[in-house]
Amino acid sequence: MNAQNTIDITIKQLQKMRDSNEKIACLTAYDAAFAKLLDQAGMDIILVGDSLGMVVQGNSSTVSVTMDDMIYHTECVTGATTHSLVISDMPFMSYSNIDSALYNATRLMQEGGAQMVKLEATQRQTEIVEELSGCGIPVCAHLGLRPQYIHKLGGYHAQGADTDSANELLLTATALEAAGADLLLVECIPAQLAAEITKTVNIPVIGIGAGNDCSGQILVLQDILGITPGKTPPFAKNYMQNCNIQQAVQNYITEVKSGAFPA
Ligand code: KIV
């Protein structure tokens, strides 16, 4: 059973930050030691990402990550945090229909202690987002490059590069907001499109590889520490430059808040 700590950052505060143009700083974490370090550094959001399949388990994609993996790592993180809002990823096929989405999102919140769940979304997921949101489950919808679709997409490529797919992404973003999403995360889309989505919707938009006109930024922890097993994405930045881990995390927060990252 999770401790269900009370935390400082709520979705209301994230919305206020977005409304007052204060950038939202986010990083992933998967264990108590790093979660505590990020929490104490003042990180706004910690994502227990299914990227753990790659950076913790050493696999080549996120597809093999299970609900039990997510609950275990989410519990490690939420037990160590009192400041940052913790989002937990719904893994591959855990939200293929409304019933499984409700069941698995409930597990992430009740057993893992997550304060929000994230799912990779196209227009197809609007009904699921509506149902989760209507049941009181805060939702982050992840658009653009959706790593769980790797075998369908045929590779980790930028999305929304042509007019049709850019329009489709803009429509999807507004549909997900209307369905009750509290947060959008856009991955690997053109900066101009990310800026347009951020301007169009009224909820915070967190970017990764999507330029710096979003409401905030997220990176994978191992990427900023320069210890990613395998290839580091081109949009990531190694903050371990003649400093310790605490200072690297602090520098990342400072650069996100000031808009210096991404350059
Ligand atoms: O799983 C994850 O860590 C993510 C980030 C790359 C945004 O979804």
Side-chain angles (χ1 to χ4, degrees), residues 23-97:
K23 297 277 186 186
I24 300 168
C26 326
L27 261 187
T28 65
Y30 318 93
D31 63 40
F34 276 113
K36 197 170 185 128
L37 190 149
L38 267 47
D39 194 67
Q40 289 179 343
M43 196 66 64
D44 298 313
I45 293 176
I46 297 176
L47 169 68
V48 187
D50 62 354
S51 50
L52 70 86
M54 300 170 85
V55 296
V56 176
Q57 297 172 339
N59 297 320
S60 60
S61 81
T62 60
V63 172
S64 56
V65 176
T66 65
M67 271 302 297
D68 286 344
D69 293 334
M70 288 311 306
I71 288 167
Y72 172 78
H73 287 280
T74 303
E75 206 174 354
C76 292
V77 168
T78 55
T81 45
T82 56
H83 173 77
S84 318
L85 183 135
V86 177
I87 304 179
S88 182
D89 253 339
M90 300 199 66
F92 182 63
M93 290 301 284
S94 67
Y95 51 98
S96 55
N97 58 50

Side-chain angles (χ1 to χ4, degrees), residues 7 9 27-28 43 54 63 100 120 133 140 154 162 164 184 195-196 208 210 213 228 233-234 244 247 257:
I7 45 137
I9 303 288
L27 261 187
T28 65
M43 196 66 64
M54 300 170 85
V63 172
S100 64
E120 296 182 7
S133 176
C140 171
D162 60 80
D164 284 352
L184 298 181
E196 198 175 348
I208 174 164
D213 286 323
T228 303
N244 63 20
Q247 194 55 54
K257 295 277 177 194

Side-chain angles (χ1 to χ4, degrees), residues 92-240:
F92 182 63
M93 290 301 284
S94 67
Y95 51 98
S96 55
N97 58 50
I98 290 175
D99 288 344
S100 64
L102 278 173
Y103 176 74
N104 288 315
T106 304
R107 287 194 69 198
L108 288 177
M109 294 191 74
Q110 286 191 324
E111 297 173 46
Q115 287 107 29
M116 185 180 288
V117 301
K118 174 164 85 59
L119 48 82
E120 296 182 7
T122 61
Q123 298 254 8
R124 186 180 178 273
Q125 276 75 35
T126 49
E127 221 183 316
I128 287 170
V129 170
E130 194 166 5
E131 202 62 38
L132 293 176
S133 176
C135 288
I137 298 174
V139 179
C140 171
H142 179 155
L143 345 174
L145 174 59
R146 290 161 286 121
Q148 290 172 11
Y149 288 62
I150 175 69
H151 298 304
K152 189 85 179 154
L153 296 171
Y156 295 108
H157 309 302
Q159 304 291 308
D162 60 80
T163 312
D164 284 352
S165 62
N167 287 340
E168 175 72 22
L169 274 173
L170 189 56
L171 280 178
T172 303
T174 53
L176 289 163
E177 179 189 25
D182 301 281
L183 206 64
L184 298 181
L185 187 150
V186 291
E187 177 164 358
C188 271
I189 63 170
Q192 212 182 338
L193 174 60
E196 198 175 348
I197 292 174
T198 306
K199 224 169 36 187
T200 305
V201 300
N202 293 301
I203 52 177
V205 178
I206 308 300
I208 174 164
N212 77 357
D213 286 323
C214 300
S215 325
Q217 297 292 329
I218 186 161
L219 283 177
V220 168
L221 174 69
Q222 279 74 0
D223 289 343
I224 78 153
L225 301 181
I227 54 167
T228 303
K231 227 169 130 192
T232 304
F235 50 76
K237 176 171 174 182
N238 181 347
Y239 281 84
M240 288 295 288

